[in-house]
């Protein structure tokens, strides 16, 4: 049965359709006959129990620069007129993001929101992963320079990054001499009110950072993201490149450990990051990426798997 799908994301004008996971999901939905609407999170409204958005009907086509066509904007009641809301705007995970989860939570009993907004709010990528510390590299969360120095002495080399950063931004490698650590912590403490994440540096990152996509708790595929020349960051958004890969036994153990909780929380589309085949660094639930590259290397239809799971979820709600 055709569904009405509201896609909450960033402006369509600025996306690179060659690698954008949300666009791939939209193309797949349209091919199944689902009706698409687009809106940005700042167009959410609430009144008298209703949550609605000024949304545009949209058709998509995989032609960069001519990849979408809007119809006339309408006031779309997300609790009554939409079957599915895809919450796909990119972080930062700030108060605007958190507010959007609170608003969408008010219609989640009537409309399937992917991922579940309350679970997204309660599972920040670099904090929820602490529940699985047994799979993580040594980690410190702090604003204190002395604590960071002591952690550096213990582990030799470290990485410092924002607790709510995304896309590989503001990740710094600090070597054993600690040069610039004090200046770096000073800048971070001015820039961010929350603590920062400090982790032991993993030399294995030179061989890539694996993105594994899970759909409704099941592994849908993976890519290995290789850092560019002179980089430790392998995110595709900052110049990393993707290559075909397979899962290690340890990675499968990690996925098996996560699966029941992902399903319980309604986190249908999740991407996890693993370094060296064994070290879990993030559980991405806000706007995971990687499905286009996985499909290219593996020939799998990850977008189709996601829509299969969504359609099952809608059917279960309808009884």
């Amino acid at each position: 049965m055709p569904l009405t799908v509201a896609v909450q994301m960033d402006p369509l004008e600025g996306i690179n359709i060659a690698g954008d996971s949300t666009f791939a999901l939209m193309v797949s939905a349209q091919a199944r006959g689902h009706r698409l609407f687009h809106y940005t999170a700042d167009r959410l409204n609430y009144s008298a129990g209703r949550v609605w958005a000024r949304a545009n009907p949209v058709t998509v086509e995989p032609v960069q620069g001519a990849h979408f066509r809007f119809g006339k904007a309408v006031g779309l009641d997300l609790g009554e007129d939409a079957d599915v809301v895809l919450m796909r705007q990119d972080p930062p995970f700030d108060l605007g993001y958190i507010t959007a989860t609170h608003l969408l939570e008010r219609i989640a009993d009537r409309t399937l929101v992917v991922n579940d907004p309350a679970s997204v709010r309660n599972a920040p990528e670099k904090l929820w992963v602490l529940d699985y510390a047994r799979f993580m590299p040594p980690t410190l969360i702090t604003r204190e320079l002395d604590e960071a120095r002591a952690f550096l002495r213990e582990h030799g080399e470290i990485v410092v990054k924002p607790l709510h950063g995304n896309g590989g931004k503001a990740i710094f490698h600090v070597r054993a001499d600690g040069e610039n650590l004090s200046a770096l912590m000073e800048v971070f403490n001015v820039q961010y009110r929350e603590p920062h994440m400090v982790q032991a540096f993993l030399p294995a990152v030179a061989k890539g950072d694996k993105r594994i996509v899970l759909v409704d708790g099941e592994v849908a595929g993976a890519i290995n993201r290789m850092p560019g020349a002179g980089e430790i960051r392998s995110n595709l958004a900052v110049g990393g490149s993707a290559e075909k890969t397979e899962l290690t036994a340890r990675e499968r153990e990690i996925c098996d450990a996560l699966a029941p909780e992902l399903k319980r929380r309604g986190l249908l589309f999740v991407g996890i990051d693993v370094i060296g085949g064994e070290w879990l660094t993030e559980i991405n639930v806000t706007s995971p990426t990687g499905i286009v590259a996985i499909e290219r290397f593996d020939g799998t239809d990850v977008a189709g798997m996601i829509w299969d799971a969504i359609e099952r979820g809608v059917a279960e709600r309808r009884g």
Side-chain angles (χ1 to χ4, degrees), residues 30-255:
Q30 183 175 274
R32 291 176 176 229
H34 301 324
R35 186 183 184 200
L36 297 172
F37 288 82
H38 171 277
Y39 70 94
T40 52
D42 59 357
R43 298 174 86 181
L44 281 171
N45 303 279
Y46 169 88
S47 178
R50 294 175 58 245
V51 177
W52 78 95
R54 183 61 56 180
N56 293 90
V58 61
T59 56
V60 291
E61 185 176 354
V63 178
Q64 186 70 53
H67 52 281
F68 71 97
R69 184 181 301 109
F70 278 156
K72 185 178 179 180
V74 299
L76 184 68
D77 188 319
L78 299 178
E80 298 298 330
D81 300 330
D83 299 298
V84 181
V85 172
L86 294 184
M87 189 169 61
R88 292 286 305 171
Q89 80 269 24
D90 288 339
F93 192 73
D94 56 12
L95 282 175
Y97 209 113
I98 291 169
T99 299
T101 69
H102 279 291
L103 291 175
L104 291 180
E105 188 179 5
R106 293 181 176 275
I107 55 99
D109 60 333
R110 290 164 283 160
T111 301
L112 180 63
V113 183
V114 179
N115 287 317
D116 178 84
S119 293
V120 167
R121 187 174 64 247
N122 292 330
E125 268 112 49
K126 295 182 182 68
L127 282 173
W128 186 35
V129 70
L130 300 177
D131 285 1
Y132 301 91
R134 64 191 184 278
F135 299 121
M136 293 178 67
T139 297
L140 168 71
I141 294 177
T142 190
R143 290 177 62 87
E144 297 188 34
L145 175 60
D146 287 347
E147 296 295 336
R149 282 174 168 161
F151 192 80
L152 175 63
R153 287 193 298 271
E154 180 180 358
H155 296 286
E157 297 181 65
I158 60 175
V159 170
V160 183
K161 51 190 174 182
L163 196 60
H164 297 297
N166 68 293
K169 301 181 186 74
I171 297 177
F172 292 88
H173 177 199
V174 180
R175 300 186 185 277
D177 60 12
E179 184 178 6
N180 291 327
L181 178 59
S182 61
L184 177 61
M185 290 294 290
E186 180 180 320
V187 169
F188 268 44
N189 283 346
V190 170
Q191 183 69 28
Y192 308 107
R193 295 184 63 185
E194 66 273 11
H196 325 302
M197 177 167 270
V198 185
Q199 291 184 315
F201 175 69
L202 301 174
V205 75
K207 297 182 179 179
D209 173 6
K210 197 171 294 186
R211 163 57 58 89
I212 305 170
V213 168
L214 297 102
V215 176
D216 203 21
E218 301 293 329
V219 174
I223 50 169
N224 194 47
R225 302 176 298 183
M226 292 295 294
E231 274 281 3
I232 63 165
R233 302 175 300 170
S234 56
N235 306 70
L236 303 185
V238 294
S241 60
E243 62 181 21
K244 186 177 176 63
T245 191
E246 302 290 338
L247 298 194
T248 66
R250 169 78 163 186
E251 288 164 343
R252 292 195 177 279
E253 180 186 357
I254 292 170
C255 293

Side-chain angles (χ1 to χ4, degrees), residues 115-116 119-120 123 128 214-217 261-270 285:
N115 287 317
D116 178 84
S119 293
V120 167
W128 186 35
L214 297 102
V215 176
D216 203 21
E261 192 64 13
L262 297 180
K263 291 176 73 69
R264 189 185 72 80
R265 292 185 180 222
L267 295 170
L268 188 147
F269 177 15
V270 172
V285 303

Side-chain angles (χ1 to χ4, degrees), residues 310-319:
I310 290 172
E311 289 166 4
R312 286 195 303 269
V314 172
E316 288 170 2
R317 284 167 171 257
R318 291 175 175 174

Side-chain angles (χ1 to χ4, degrees), residues 285-309:
V285 303
T286 51
S287 183
T289 61
I291 68 175
V292 176
I294 291 172
E295 290 178 348
R296 184 168 68 247
F297 286 111
D298 293 352
T300 53
D301 182 9
V302 181
M305 295 178 192
I306 293 169
W307 282 111
D308 286 345

